[in-house]
Amino acid sequence: MEKTHAPLQPPTFGNLITVLSIDGGGIRGLIPGTILAFLESELQKLDGEDARIADYFDVIAGTSTGGLVTAMLTTPDEKNRPLFAAKDIKEFYLSHCPKIFPQPGFQLFANATKMMKALSGPKYDGKYLHKIVREKLGSTRMHQTLTNVVIPTFDIKQLQPTIFSSYQVKEKQSLDALLSDVCIATSAAPTYLPAHRFETKTSDGQALVAIGEVTKAIIRGNSDFFPIKPMDYGRFLVISLGTGSGKSEGKYSANEAAKWGLLSWLTSGGSTPLVDVFTQSSADMVDLHISEVFQALHSQENYLRIQDDKLSGVVSSVDIATQKNLEDLVKVGEGLLKKPVSRVNLETGVFEPCKMEESNEKALIRFAKLLSEEKWLRLARSPNGQATNSK
């Protein structure tokens, strides 16, 4: 068996618990897609061209567009290898986003039309998204992914989150949903795409969430994590990928928002402020909490957050899927690789470059080496090591 085909052994045989987290953000999924393509290329330099992202992470978590990327990276093909390589994400988005988010032609009363749509129903019908997701993911269910996944959704009937997790599926079969249903549900952003209803039956009839799911598995005595303790956060190696925001550029102002009524909160400047506020504040809170934990444990180098908080104009939208804008988002991802590693300032909440002189690109090269070393360390220590390791 080739080296890169050896399955990732449980953390109990290694030193780390490896986590990949991918934010939501519609078409801006091209940004983490570009970052992941670079990371996978570095893993391939170390372990061969067949290396894939799913071969190195204990859990991959994603919300909305991040949930779709998670599914693409972990759904098995007929050879039980990932259906998509990371480099394929770019082409998928360039090809399908214009059909998921069709752009209107010139309209004399474009803003009025947007407002009427915001009041009468979702901006897009979601039919093409449903079609392509079902076509690509087929009948794959949660328990069949090539590594553990965590994909949060929201149950609007119960007004509470529902987290679809590989760890929970092992204990609660009712959560073993079709991966396509989970992806459609997590992508149903209010005002943009319609809510999605689906059911799961038993045989009888985003980074913080992922860490939380692992911690719960440890508490429940999951043998994969022995002898790791529930609060042993220093053992985590986390890569968290953002989809960009206009936070530091001041996309909205308090003076402006103070005058808004319902229509303005639903559509202003070509986007939906209400959705922007909730989604961005959620991502920022998660980043702040994780940064606090890793800094308190003096293990900051085990947490890498890659985010561009200076997006402005059309490129900051989640649905303006013109060819030019999609290509510009790829450029944002490529440019982000060259920027210095940044962390949230715990005093101000602002994303700032670190003191160390390291670019995101160099950090990913360092993380790729750590991921490869961890994978093969586990294999060498596990009972399966002699049978599968051809290094």
Side-chain angles (χ1 to χ4, degrees):
M1 181 179 290
E2 291 186 18
K3 177 183 170 187
T4 51
H5 284 191
L8 183 63
Q9 300 300 301
T12 187
F13 298 114
N15 296 330
L16 302 167
I17 300 171
T18 54
V19 177
L20 171 64
S21 172
I22 309 164
D23 286 6
I27 60 172
R28 298 203 310 261
L30 273 164
I31 296 174
T34 302
I35 304 297
L36 288 168
F38 177 81
L39 175 61
E40 193 169 85
S41 70
E42 290 302 312
L43 292 168
Q44 289 169 346
K45 290 178 183 178
L46 296 168
D47 294 332
E49 62 181 15
D50 290 329
R52 296 289 182 268
I53 294 292
D55 296 331
Y56 298 87
F57 288 95
D58 292 306
V59 56
I60 302 178
T63 303
S64 186
T65 198
L68 178 57
V69 172
T70 295
M72 292 169 68
L73 296 173
T74 61
T75 295
D77 63 14
E78 65 280 356
K79 296 180 180 178
N80 206 39
R81 296 292 294 148
L83 186 64
F84 287 85
K87 64 181 177 60
D88 298 329
I89 296 171
K90 171 184 170 182
E91 186 55 40
F92 179 90
Y93 274 70
L94 291 176
S95 298
H96 299 294
C97 281
K99 298 173 186 176
I100 296 171
F101 303 110
Q103 301 301 296
F106 174 77
Q107 293 181 5
L108 187 59
F109 303 104
N111 288 335
T113 301
K114 287 180 183 178
M115 287 187 179
M116 289 303 296
K117 276 195 171 185
L119 288 174
S120 61
K123 194 172 180 181
Y124 306 98
D125 61 25
K127 290 180 180 179
Y128 186 82
L129 172 65
H130 295 196
K131 172 181 174 293
I132 196 65
V133 168
R134 294 200 186 284
E135 178 184 306
K136 296 297 183 183
L137 304 184
S139 59
T140 304
R141 291 190 175 271
M142 288 289 297
H143 79 276
Q144 295 173 301
T145 56
L146 294 171
T147 190
N148 297 299
V149 300
V150 176
I151 303 177
T153 65
F154 191 83
D155 186 336
I156 195 169
K157 185 176 181 180
Q158 301 295 328
L159 288 179
Q160 65 181 22
T162 297
I163 298 172
F164 287 89
S165 158
S166 298
Y167 299 108
Q168 293 190 22
V169 164
K170 295 169 185 175
E171 299 181 7
K172 192 175 182 181
Q173 192 177 351
S174 62
L175 291 176
D176 193 20
L178 286 170
L179 202 53
S180 58
D181 277 330
V182 177
C183 285
I184 293 170
T186 194
S187 299
T191 76
Y192 286 100
L193 291 163
H196 179 58
R197 181 183 184 277
F198 67 97
E199 296 181 357
T200 58
K201 297 180 180 180
T202 64
S203 56
D204 297 327
Q206 199 167 92
L208 191 59
V209 175
I211 292 174
E213 288 298 299
V214 170
T215 301
K216 284 190 285 186
I218 295 171
I219 292 172
R220 291 170 184 148
N222 189 316
S223 61
D224 286 351
F225 299 98
F226 180 81
I228 300 169
K229 298 177 181 179
M231 297 307 293
D232 199 359
Y233 277 43
R235 297 282 291 272
F236 282 94
L237 183 76
V238 180
I239 298 178
S240 176
L241 304 180
T243 56
S245 78
K247 177 181 169 184
S248 68
E249 293 297 307
K251 188 173 183 179
Y252 308 112
S253 71
N255 288 338
E256 179 186 11
K259 303 172 186 177
W260 288 350
L262 175 62
L263 292 179
S264 296
W265 275 103
L266 289 175
T267 174
S268 179
S271 60
T272 306
L274 194 60
V275 176
D276 286 348
V277 167
F278 280 108
T279 55
Q280 193 55 53
S281 62
S282 175
D284 288 344
M285 285 174 66
V286 169
D287 182 38
L288 181 63
H289 177 77
I290 297 178
S291 292
E292 285 178 336
V293 171
F294 277 85
Q295 289 185 45
L297 294 172
H298 303 288
S299 54
Q300 299 97 314
E301 291 189 359
N302 277 20
Y303 175 58
L304 176 63
R305 172 70 170 169
I306 300 182
Q307 170 73 317
D308 189 331
D309 63 352
K310 295 180 174 60
L311 297 185
S312 61
V314 174
V315 79
S316 67
S317 75
V318 300
D319 67 325
I320 301 181
T322 62
Q323 200 64 37
K324 181 182 184 305
N325 194 39
L326 294 174
E327 291 172 356
D328 285 345
L329 285 168
V330 174
K331 292 176 183 176
V332 169
E334 293 171 344
L336 197 49
L337 288 169
K338 305 297 182 183
K339 292 184 178 181
V341 170
S342 298
R343 293 198 182 100
V344 64
N345 184 313
L346 300 183
E347 298 295 327
T348 65
V350 176
F351 210 55
E352 299 176 346
C354 299
K355 292 181 180 179
M356 67 174 87
E357 294 184 1
E358 185 180 40
S359 65
N360 288 317
E361 188 174 67
K362 289 182 178 178
L364 286 168
I365 292 172
R366 176 169 58 84
F367 269 69
K369 186 177 180 181
L370 290 171
L371 289 166
S372 178
E373 289 174 349
E374 174 69 13
K375 176 180 174 65
W376 300 112
L377 172 65
R378 293 186 193 181
L379 193 64
R381 289 177 175 176
S382 76
N384 299 321
Q386 296 300 318
T388 58
N389 191 2
S390 61
K391 187 173 181 178

